[in-house]
Amino acid sequence: MDGRKQRRNDLARTHSRPYEGREQEVKEANKVRAEQERKTDQLAERMARVAWADAPDRVRKMLRGR
């Protein structure tokens, strides 16, 4: 890398961040993991709602225990 501007552009192009030490990297990894888990949970909720709405009444009654 020749210069700060080129380094900044390279980091932006590759969606990277400068290394800030192990402790900070672990915090960032945990934050990214939590965000991915939140998105996965939202998708699962949405899929469950759609499946429930699309299920026939007899299936819903059976799943409710009636």
Side-chain angles (χ1 to χ4, degrees), residues 13-37:
R13 183 177 46 82
T14 60
H15 305 289
S16 301
R17 358 181 310 321
Y19 184 75
E20 299 174 324
R22 177 135 174 92
E23 183 179 335
Q24 190 63 31
E25 294 297 319
V26 169
K27 284 181 186 178
E28 186 65 24
N30 289 339
K31 191 175 11 173
V32 169
R33 193 175 303 115
E35 180 63 19
Q36 288 174 337
E37 189 173 323

PDB file of all heavy atoms in Angstrom, residues 13-37:
ATOM      1  N   ARG A  13     -13.133  -0.937  -0.042  1.00  0.00           N
ATOM      2  CA  ARG A  13     -13.462  -1.827  -1.167  1.00  0.00           C
ATOM      3  C   ARG A  13     -13.679  -3.258  -0.696  1.00  0.00           C
ATOM      4  O   ARG A  13     -14.542  -3.976  -1.200  1.00  0.00           O
ATOM      5  CB  ARG A  13     -12.326  -1.783  -2.192  1.00  0.00           C
ATOM      6  CG  ARG A  13     -12.570  -2.613  -3.432  1.00  0.00           C
ATOM      7  CD  ARG A  13     -11.435  -2.466  -4.449  1.00  0.00           C
ATOM      8  NE  ARG A  13     -10.104  -2.562  -3.878  1.00  0.00           N
ATOM      9  CZ  ARG A  13      -9.477  -3.719  -3.603  1.00  0.00           C
ATOM     10  NH1 ARG A  13     -10.072  -4.859  -3.847  1.00  0.00           N
ATOM     11  NH2 ARG A  13      -8.259  -3.720  -3.107  1.00  0.00           N
ATOM     12  N   THR A  14     -12.905  -3.706   0.298  1.00  0.00           N
ATOM     13  CA  THR A  14     -12.997  -5.089   0.781  1.00  0.00           C
ATOM     14  C   THR A  14     -13.881  -5.222   2.019  1.00  0.00           C
ATOM     15  O   THR A  14     -13.950  -6.290   2.611  1.00  0.00           O
ATOM     16  CB  THR A  14     -11.599  -5.639   1.109  1.00  0.00           C
ATOM     17  OG1 THR A  14     -10.994  -4.826   2.118  1.00  0.00           O
ATOM     18  CG2 THR A  14     -10.718  -5.688  -0.129  1.00  0.00           C
ATOM     19  N   HIS A  15     -14.565  -4.109   2.384  1.00  0.00           N
ATOM     20  CA  HIS A  15     -15.443  -4.099   3.571  1.00  0.00           C
ATOM     21  C   HIS A  15     -14.683  -4.564   4.810  1.00  0.00           C
ATOM     22  O   HIS A  15     -15.183  -5.343   5.605  1.00  0.00           O
ATOM     23  CB  HIS A  15     -16.687  -4.957   3.343  1.00  0.00           C
ATOM     24  CG  HIS A  15     -17.448  -4.584   2.133  1.00  0.00           C
ATOM     25  ND1 HIS A  15     -18.171  -3.407   2.038  1.00  0.00           N
ATOM     26  CD2 HIS A  15     -17.583  -5.205   0.930  1.00  0.00           C
ATOM     27  CE1 HIS A  15     -18.723  -3.329   0.850  1.00  0.00           C
ATOM     28  NE2 HIS A  15     -18.390  -4.397   0.158  1.00  0.00           N
ATOM     29  N   SER A  16     -13.466  -4.073   4.974  1.00  0.00           N
ATOM     30  CA  SER A  16     -12.613  -4.434   6.099  1.00  0.00           C
ATOM     31  C   SER A  16     -12.459  -3.245   7.036  1.00  0.00           C
ATOM     32  O   SER A  16     -12.888  -2.146   6.748  1.00  0.00           O
ATOM     33  CB  SER A  16     -11.227  -4.850   5.596  1.00  0.00           C
ATOM     34  OG  SER A  16     -11.327  -5.946   4.729  1.00  0.00           O
ATOM     35  N   ARG A  17     -11.827  -3.500   8.181  1.00  0.00           N
ATOM     36  CA  ARG A  17     -11.491  -2.441   9.109  1.00  0.00           C
ATOM     37  C   ARG A  17     -10.056  -2.634   9.555  1.00  0.00           C
ATOM     38  O   ARG A  17      -9.557  -3.744   9.527  1.00  0.00           O
ATOM     39  CB  ARG A  17     -12.384  -2.407  10.346  1.00  0.00           C
ATOM     40  CG  ARG A  17     -13.486  -3.402  10.415  1.00  0.00           C
ATOM     41  CD  ARG A  17     -14.373  -3.372  11.603  1.00  0.00           C
ATOM     42  NE  ARG A  17     -14.024  -3.353  12.995  1.00  0.00           N
ATOM     43  CZ  ARG A  17     -13.068  -3.973  13.663  1.00  0.00           C
ATOM     44  NH1 ARG A  17     -12.221  -4.659  13.071  1.00  0.00           N
ATOM     45  NH2 ARG A  17     -12.927  -3.907  14.936  1.00  0.00           N
ATOM     46  N   PRO A  18      -9.409  -1.561   9.981  1.00  0.00           N
ATOM     47  CA  PRO A  18      -8.029  -1.705  10.448  1.00  0.00           C
ATOM     48  C   PRO A  18      -7.981  -2.543  11.729  1.00  0.00           C
ATOM     49  O   PRO A  18      -8.907  -2.498  12.536  1.00  0.00           O
ATOM     50  CB  PRO A  18      -7.573  -0.276  10.727  1.00  0.00           C
ATOM     51  CG  PRO A  18      -8.724   0.607  10.489  1.00  0.00           C
ATOM     52  CD  PRO A  18      -9.870  -0.199   9.989  1.00  0.00           C
ATOM     53  N   TYR A  19      -6.917  -3.301  11.904  1.00  0.00           N
ATOM     54  CA  TYR A  19      -6.750  -4.125  13.098  1.00  0.00           C
ATOM     55  C   TYR A  19      -6.554  -3.217  14.306  1.00  0.00           C
ATOM     56  O   TYR A  19      -5.729  -2.304  14.285  1.00  0.00           O
ATOM     57  CB  TYR A  19      -5.542  -5.049  12.928  1.00  0.00           C
ATOM     58  CG  TYR A  19      -5.353  -5.995  14.086  1.00  0.00           C
ATOM     59  CD1 TYR A  19      -6.185  -7.086  14.244  1.00  0.00           C
ATOM     60  CD2 TYR A  19      -4.354  -5.780  15.026  1.00  0.00           C
ATOM     61  CE1 TYR A  19      -6.026  -7.946  15.304  1.00  0.00           C
ATOM     62  CE2 TYR A  19      -4.184  -6.646  16.089  1.00  0.00           C
ATOM     63  CZ  TYR A  19      -5.021  -7.726  16.234  1.00  0.00           C
ATOM     64  OH  TYR A  19      -4.867  -8.581  17.282  1.00  0.00           O
ATOM     65  N   GLU A  20      -7.334  -3.465  15.364  1.00  0.00           N
ATOM     66  CA  GLU A  20      -7.296  -2.593  16.533  1.00  0.00           C
ATOM     67  C   GLU A  20      -6.885  -3.328  17.804  1.00  0.00           C
ATOM     68  O   GLU A  20      -7.120  -2.844  18.896  1.00  0.00           O
ATOM     69  CB  GLU A  20      -8.664  -1.956  16.757  1.00  0.00           C
ATOM     70  CG  GLU A  20      -9.109  -1.111  15.598  1.00  0.00           C
ATOM     71  CD  GLU A  20     -10.521  -0.586  15.754  1.00  0.00           C
ATOM     72  OE1 GLU A  20     -11.370  -1.309  16.309  1.00  0.00           O
ATOM     73  OE2 GLU A  20     -10.762   0.536  15.323  1.00  0.00           O
ATOM     74  N   GLY A  21      -6.327  -4.504  17.670  1.00  0.00           N
ATOM     75  CA  GLY A  21      -5.941  -5.273  18.841  1.00  0.00           C
ATOM     76  C   GLY A  21      -6.932  -6.388  19.114  1.00  0.00           C
ATOM     77  O   GLY A  21      -8.080  -6.336  18.706  1.00  0.00           O
ATOM     78  N   ARG A  22      -6.472  -7.417  19.794  1.00  0.00           N
ATOM     79  CA  ARG A  22      -7.293  -8.613  20.027  1.00  0.00           C
ATOM     80  C   ARG A  22      -8.592  -8.314  20.774  1.00  0.00           C
ATOM     81  O   ARG A  22      -9.652  -8.806  20.409  1.00  0.00           O
ATOM     82  CB  ARG A  22      -6.481  -9.652  20.797  1.00  0.00           C
ATOM     83  CG  ARG A  22      -7.281 -10.882  21.150  1.00  0.00           C
ATOM     84  CD  ARG A  22      -6.497 -12.122  20.857  1.00  0.00           C
ATOM     85  NE  ARG A  22      -7.183 -13.311  21.310  1.00  0.00           N
ATOM     86  CZ  ARG A  22      -8.006 -14.011  20.548  1.00  0.00           C
ATOM     87  NH1 ARG A  22      -8.214 -13.657  19.312  1.00  0.00           N
ATOM     88  NH2 ARG A  22      -8.590 -15.083  21.004  1.00  0.00           N
ATOM     89  N   GLU A  23      -8.509  -7.533  21.824  1.00  0.00           N
ATOM     90  CA  GLU A  23      -9.709  -7.254  22.623  1.00  0.00           C
ATOM     91  C   GLU A  23     -10.803  -6.599  21.788  1.00  0.00           C
ATOM     92  O   GLU A  23     -11.971  -7.003  21.826  1.00  0.00           O
ATOM     93  CB  GLU A  23      -9.348  -6.352  23.805  1.00  0.00           C
ATOM     94  CG  GLU A  23     -10.505  -6.077  24.733  1.00  0.00           C
ATOM     95  CD  GLU A  23     -10.101  -5.205  25.896  1.00  0.00           C
ATOM     96  OE1 GLU A  23      -8.918  -5.181  26.258  1.00  0.00           O
ATOM     97  OE2 GLU A  23     -10.999  -4.531  26.434  1.00  0.00           O
ATOM     98  N   GLN A  24     -10.427  -5.596  21.013  1.00  0.00           N
ATOM     99  CA  GLN A  24     -11.398  -4.896  20.170  1.00  0.00           C
ATOM    100  C   GLN A  24     -11.924  -5.814  19.063  1.00  0.00           C
ATOM    101  O   GLN A  24     -13.112  -5.762  18.724  1.00  0.00           O
ATOM    102  CB  GLN A  24     -10.769  -3.643  19.565  1.00  0.00           C
ATOM    103  CG  GLN A  24     -11.752  -2.740  18.884  1.00  0.00           C
ATOM    104  CD  GLN A  24     -12.789  -2.168  19.846  1.00  0.00           C
ATOM    105  OE1 GLN A  24     -12.519  -1.962  21.019  1.00  0.00           O
ATOM    106  NE2 GLN A  24     -13.970  -1.934  19.346  1.00  0.00           N
ATOM    107  N   GLU A  25     -11.058  -6.651  18.527  1.00  0.00           N
ATOM    108  CA  GLU A  25     -11.482  -7.576  17.473  1.00  0.00           C
ATOM    109  C   GLU A  25     -12.505  -8.582  18.010  1.00  0.00           C
ATOM    110  O   GLU A  25     -13.469  -8.919  17.329  1.00  0.00           O
ATOM    111  CB  GLU A  25     -10.277  -8.315  16.884  1.00  0.00           C
ATOM    112  CG  GLU A  25      -9.317  -7.407  16.145  1.00  0.00           C
ATOM    113  CD  GLU A  25      -9.930  -6.728  14.938  1.00  0.00           C
ATOM    114  OE1 GLU A  25     -10.684  -7.373  14.185  1.00  0.00           O
ATOM    115  OE2 GLU A  25      -9.649  -5.539  14.746  1.00  0.00           O
ATOM    116  N   VAL A  26     -12.302  -9.062  19.235  1.00  0.00           N
ATOM    117  CA  VAL A  26     -13.250  -9.998  19.846  1.00  0.00           C
ATOM    118  C   VAL A  26     -14.593  -9.305  20.064  1.00  0.00           C
ATOM    119  O   VAL A  26     -15.649  -9.886  19.790  1.00  0.00           O
ATOM    120  CB  VAL A  26     -12.684 -10.559  21.175  1.00  0.00           C
ATOM    121  CG1 VAL A  26     -13.752 -11.307  21.955  1.00  0.00           C
ATOM    122  CG2 VAL A  26     -11.501 -11.462  20.897  1.00  0.00           C
ATOM    123  N   LYS A  27     -14.578  -8.065  20.539  1.00  0.00           N
ATOM    124  CA  LYS A  27     -15.824  -7.310  20.730  1.00  0.00           C
ATOM    125  C   LYS A  27     -16.569  -7.149  19.409  1.00  0.00           C
ATOM    126  O   LYS A  27     -17.787  -7.330  19.339  1.00  0.00           O
ATOM    127  CB  LYS A  27     -15.524  -5.927  21.304  1.00  0.00           C
ATOM    128  CG  LYS A  27     -15.177  -5.913  22.753  1.00  0.00           C
ATOM    129  CD  LYS A  27     -14.920  -4.483  23.211  1.00  0.00           C
ATOM    130  CE  LYS A  27     -14.428  -4.417  24.637  1.00  0.00           C
ATOM    131  NZ  LYS A  27     -14.138  -3.025  25.043  1.00  0.00           N
ATOM    132  N   GLU A  28     -15.837  -6.800  18.366  1.00  0.00           N
ATOM    133  CA  GLU A  28     -16.467  -6.600  17.059  1.00  0.00           C
ATOM    134  C   GLU A  28     -17.033  -7.917  16.520  1.00  0.00           C
ATOM    135  O   GLU A  28     -18.133  -7.945  15.975  1.00  0.00           O
ATOM    136  CB  GLU A  28     -15.448  -6.019  16.069  1.00  0.00           C
ATOM    137  CG  GLU A  28     -16.031  -5.647  14.733  1.00  0.00           C
ATOM    138  CD  GLU A  28     -17.035  -4.513  14.790  1.00  0.00           C
ATOM    139  OE1 GLU A  28     -16.993  -3.699  15.719  1.00  0.00           O
ATOM    140  OE2 GLU A  28     -17.885  -4.454  13.869  1.00  0.00           O
ATOM    141  N   ALA A  29     -16.291  -9.006  16.697  1.00  0.00           N
ATOM    142  CA  ALA A  29     -16.777 -10.320  16.246  1.00  0.00           C
ATOM    143  C   ALA A  29     -18.047 -10.703  16.988  1.00  0.00           C
ATOM    144  O   ALA A  29     -18.995 -11.233  16.386  1.00  0.00           O
ATOM    145  CB  ALA A  29     -15.696 -11.374  16.441  1.00  0.00           C
ATOM    146  N   ASN A  30     -18.100 -10.436  18.284  1.00  0.00           N
ATOM    147  CA  ASN A  30     -19.301 -10.734  19.067  1.00  0.00           C
ATOM    148  C   ASN A  30     -20.484  -9.892  18.614  1.00  0.00           C
ATOM    149  O   ASN A  30     -21.616 -10.374  18.554  1.00  0.00           O
ATOM    150  CB  ASN A  30     -19.034 -10.522  20.557  1.00  0.00           C
ATOM    151  CG  ASN A  30     -18.133 -11.574  21.132  1.00  0.00           C
ATOM    152  OD1 ASN A  30     -17.991 -12.667  20.590  1.00  0.00           O
ATOM    153  ND2 ASN A  30     -17.488 -11.257  22.243  1.00  0.00           N
ATOM    154  N   LYS A  31     -20.212  -8.622  18.281  1.00  0.00           N
ATOM    155  CA  LYS A  31     -21.271  -7.738  17.804  1.00  0.00           C
ATOM    156  C   LYS A  31     -21.825  -8.234  16.464  1.00  0.00           C
ATOM    157  O   LYS A  31     -23.039  -8.284  16.261  1.00  0.00           O
ATOM    158  CB  LYS A  31     -20.723  -6.316  17.659  1.00  0.00           C
ATOM    159  CG  LYS A  31     -21.783  -5.288  17.436  1.00  0.00           C
ATOM    160  CD  LYS A  31     -21.350  -3.824  17.403  1.00  0.00           C
ATOM    161  CE  LYS A  31     -19.906  -3.528  17.353  1.00  0.00           C
ATOM    162  NZ  LYS A  31     -19.630  -2.087  17.169  1.00  0.00           N
ATOM    163  N   VAL A  32     -20.939  -8.640  15.571  1.00  0.00           N
ATOM    164  CA  VAL A  32     -21.361  -9.150  14.263  1.00  0.00           C
ATOM    165  C   VAL A  32     -22.154 -10.445  14.434  1.00  0.00           C
ATOM    166  O   VAL A  32     -23.202 -10.633  13.809  1.00  0.00           O
ATOM    167  CB  VAL A  32     -20.135  -9.365  13.341  1.00  0.00           C
ATOM    168  CG1 VAL A  32     -20.521 -10.147  12.098  1.00  0.00           C
ATOM    169  CG2 VAL A  32     -19.518  -8.030  12.966  1.00  0.00           C
ATOM    170  N   ARG A  33     -21.681 -11.325  15.307  1.00  0.00           N
ATOM    171  CA  ARG A  33     -22.364 -12.597  15.558  1.00  0.00           C
ATOM    172  C   ARG A  33     -23.767 -12.358  16.132  1.00  0.00           C
ATOM    173  O   ARG A  33     -24.738 -13.011  15.730  1.00  0.00           O
ATOM    174  CB  ARG A  33     -21.542 -13.455  16.520  1.00  0.00           C
ATOM    175  CG  ARG A  33     -22.006 -14.882  16.596  1.00  0.00           C
ATOM    176  CD  ARG A  33     -21.106 -15.757  17.464  1.00  0.00           C
ATOM    177  NE  ARG A  33     -19.728 -15.730  16.989  1.00  0.00           N
ATOM    178  CZ  ARG A  33     -18.692 -15.218  17.677  1.00  0.00           C
ATOM    179  NH1 ARG A  33     -18.861 -14.698  18.865  1.00  0.00           N
ATOM    180  NH2 ARG A  33     -17.484 -15.249  17.175  1.00  0.00           N
ATOM    181  N   ALA A  34     -23.895 -11.420  17.060  1.00  0.00           N
ATOM    182  CA  ALA A  34     -25.198 -11.101  17.649  1.00  0.00           C
ATOM    183  C   ALA A  34     -26.153 -10.551  16.598  1.00  0.00           C
ATOM    184  O   ALA A  34     -27.346 -10.890  16.583  1.00  0.00           O
ATOM    185  CB  ALA A  34     -25.026 -10.110  18.793  1.00  0.00           C
ATOM    186  N   GLU A  35     -25.659  -9.704  15.719  1.00  0.00           N
ATOM    187  CA  GLU A  35     -26.489  -9.145  14.653  1.00  0.00           C
ATOM    188  C   GLU A  35     -26.957 -10.242  13.691  1.00  0.00           C
ATOM    189  O   GLU A  35     -28.119 -10.267  13.276  1.00  0.00           O
ATOM    190  CB  GLU A  35     -25.724  -8.060  13.888  1.00  0.00           C
ATOM    191  CG  GLU A  35     -26.485  -7.427  12.764  1.00  0.00           C
ATOM    192  CD  GLU A  35     -27.723  -6.669  13.203  1.00  0.00           C
ATOM    193  OE1 GLU A  35     -27.817  -6.314  14.390  1.00  0.00           O
ATOM    194  OE2 GLU A  35     -28.600  -6.446  12.351  1.00  0.00           O
ATOM    195  N   GLN A  36     -26.069 -11.161  13.353  1.00  0.00           N
ATOM    196  CA  GLN A  36     -26.446 -12.278  12.478  1.00  0.00           C
ATOM    197  C   GLN A  36     -27.497 -13.164  13.154  1.00  0.00           C
ATOM    198  O   GLN A  36     -28.451 -13.600  12.511  1.00  0.00           O
ATOM    199  CB  GLN A  36     -25.222 -13.111  12.115  1.00  0.00           C
ATOM    200  CG  GLN A  36     -24.290 -12.433  11.155  1.00  0.00           C
ATOM    201  CD  GLN A  36     -23.008 -13.213  10.928  1.00  0.00           C
ATOM    202  OE1 GLN A  36     -22.600 -14.032  11.753  1.00  0.00           O
ATOM    203  NE2 GLN A  36     -22.344 -12.940   9.820  1.00  0.00           N
ATOM    204  N   GLU A  37     -27.344 -13.393  14.440  1.00  0.00           N
ATOM    205  CA  GLU A  37     -28.309 -14.207  15.172  1.00  0.00           C
ATOM    206  C   GLU A  37     -29.670 -13.518  15.221  1.00  0.00           C
ATOM    207  O   GLU A  37     -30.712 -14.148  15.057  1.00  0.00           O
ATOM    208  CB  GLU A  37     -27.800 -14.456  16.595  1.00  0.00           C
ATOM    209  CG  GLU A  37     -28.634 -15.455  17.353  1.00  0.00           C
ATOM    210  CD  GLU A  37     -28.006 -15.811  18.681  1.00  0.00           C
ATOM    211  OE1 GLU A  37     -26.769 -15.896  18.767  1.00  0.00           O
ATOM    212  OE2 GLU A  37     -28.779 -16.009  19.640  1.00  0.00           O
TER     213      GLU A  37
END
